[in-house]
Amino acid sequence: MTYFFETYGCQMNQAESASVEQILISRGWEKAASAETAGLVIINTCSVRITAETRVFGRLAHFAALKKKRSFFLILTGCMAERLHDEIRRRFPCIDVVVGMFEKHIFPDVFQAVENNEPYVPVDEKPSGDTYFFAPSSYSQGSFQSFVPIMNGCNNFCSYCIVPYVRGREVSRNPSEILGEIDSLFEKGVKEITLLGQNVNSYRWDNPDSRNTWDFPSLLSAAARLVEKNGGDGLSSPRWIRFMSSHPKDFSDRLIETIAAEKSVCRMIHLPAQHGSSRILKAMNRGYTREKYIGLAEKIRRNIPGASLSTDILVGFPGETEEDLEEVLSLMREVRFESAYMYHFNPREGTKAFSMPDQIPEQVRKERLDRVISLQMKISAEEMKKRVGQVVPVLLESTSRNNPDELFGHTERGEMVVFDGGLDRNLIGSFVQAELMCLRGKTFRAKISSTGYA
């Protein structure tokens, strides 16, 4: 039997798709070449932006037409499935099962029904509880990189964000489960692990059997000890640990000290600013001012050698003026982010910002976003050009998509690197020291100066 995933949205969705895929693989399923040929199609959805939902609606219309030509099983899951659970079943009867955010424990039963060529009959209606089930593993077979979810949900309720309403309140995963998964991934040959959560630095686990309390810095340190245990001495068998995503209001001095002290923790820090105006940040309910954010960015770069920053920027929020936008642009010039995810305000029904006065017309939002993107592209290019000539560690992960004779990898900062042809493909999955020769667009061309992680 064959399956195919279509995954939209964040890294957490990617991790959750990988965990469900592990169930299918364990039951003997095989991955299809495309959704159009699979016996089972699973769409893992996102509700953060309306454009993501629109794409899914388009795909559902496509699959409704396809079902008239051939028989296959269709499952919808993820944030959109949680937000529009009953409505989407009414609108699209082509969907066989809708699996909400807190129902993922039913997947084995659903797959059993598919294997028996029977309709899945739920024991109960959609549960009213909000218990989130962490999968034991989010590993993708044969991959050198893996996500490890450590928490789910969000308590911040930023006025523009739908996440707390679809993923629920924050819940942290048992640290013994997290560390056990990391240990297992290292044994499988994984070289890079990303700890995931909507706000990883609010991670907290109170051990009921002792007085010990785990927070994010202590978890990060424990993960670094596993790198050492598995031979990650920075030479013969290195490992990288990343995390995504952080909230500036919770980024503590102790976390900064931990990142600085642990060699295996990447110095690439994603720190969503969202805006540069303290007035707009307050309306967004972000919990910090422009000045506090800039101060935090300066502290990170001062105390973590080689640290680089990426960010999220949202423009066109209700009530935003030209002066507010100028504060966004000036913050970008001052902090000089290496990269940024930039988007304009999308009204999401159910959030506070949806009904705020002084909504910005879409054309104005788009024009403001164009200015932000243009500036960030300039800053990113300038910062990347400074790297040309440097020798840096690179994880080789695959052949190049554009040229199978070339090898592709990425740096600690997540920068894309391509190496000229003629290299041994057995190097894939290992670290090399690479001299960054030149920059073409957003990709470095490089040559290997030595193998290993010197």
Side-chain angles (χ1 to χ4, degrees), residues 369-429:
L369 178 59
D370 287 343
R371 289 156 62 185
V372 167
I373 292 173
S374 177
L375 175 59
Q376 183 57 49
M377 289 179 64
K378 178 175 181 292
I379 293 172
S380 294
E382 291 170 352
E383 292 302 311
M384 291 183 75
K385 285 177 183 176
K386 295 176 184 177
R387 303 264 283 163
V388 173
Q390 294 183 13
V391 176
V392 299
V394 172
L395 175 59
L396 293 173
E397 58 186 273
S398 66
T399 56
S400 171
R401 184 168 51 188
N402 297 325
N403 186 343
D405 293 327
E406 298 178 334
L407 296 187
F408 173 82
H410 63 276
T411 70
E412 182 178 352
R413 296 184 176 190
E415 300 151 325
M416 296 181 292
V417 182
V418 170
F419 298 84
D420 290 333
L423 296 179
D424 185 355
R425 292 194 179 192
N426 290 327
L427 288 172
I428 293 174

Side-chain angles (χ1 to χ4, degrees), residues 208 241 295:
I241 299 172

Side-chain angles (χ1 to χ4, degrees), residues 153-212:
C154 185
N155 293 346
N156 291 310
F157 288 91
C158 298
S159 59
Y160 55 85
C161 185
I162 196 71
V163 169
Y165 304 97
V166 292
R167 283 195 171 268
R169 296 298 183 95
E170 291 175 358
V171 55
S172 294
R173 186 181 177 191
N174 188 319
S176 63
E177 294 179 6
I178 297 169
L179 298 174
E181 182 179 355
I182 292 173
D183 207 15
S184 173
L185 290 169
F186 285 156
E187 290 176 358
K188 289 181 172 73
V190 169
K191 297 296 179 70
E192 181 179 63
I193 283 172
T194 302
L195 305 179
L196 286 183
Q198 277 68 47
N199 181 16
V200 290
N201 43 4
S202 65
Y203 174 88
R204 182 181 179 88
W205 178 270
D206 296 309
N207 193 328
D209 301 323
S210 70
R211 295 181 179 179
N212 293 336

Side-chain angles (χ1 to χ4, degrees), residues 26 50 97 139 207 228 304:
S26 71
I50 195 169
V97 181
Y139 174 65
N207 193 328
E228 295 171 358
I304 304 176

Side-chain angles (χ1 to χ4, degrees), residues 159 180 247 274 303 331 359 426 428 431 448:
S159 59
H247 196 298
Q274 300 298 357
N303 290 281
L331 180 129
Q359 298 280 329
N426 290 327
I428 293 174
F431 287 91
I448 294 177

Side-chain angles (χ1 to χ4, degrees), residues 11-30:
Q11 292 94 335
M12 186 68 85
N13 272 11
Q14 295 175 40
E16 289 166 344
S17 289
S19 69
V20 176
E21 185 175 26
Q22 288 298 300
I23 300 173
L24 288 165
I25 291 171
S26 71
R27 300 176 71 97
W29 288 66
E30 296 182 357

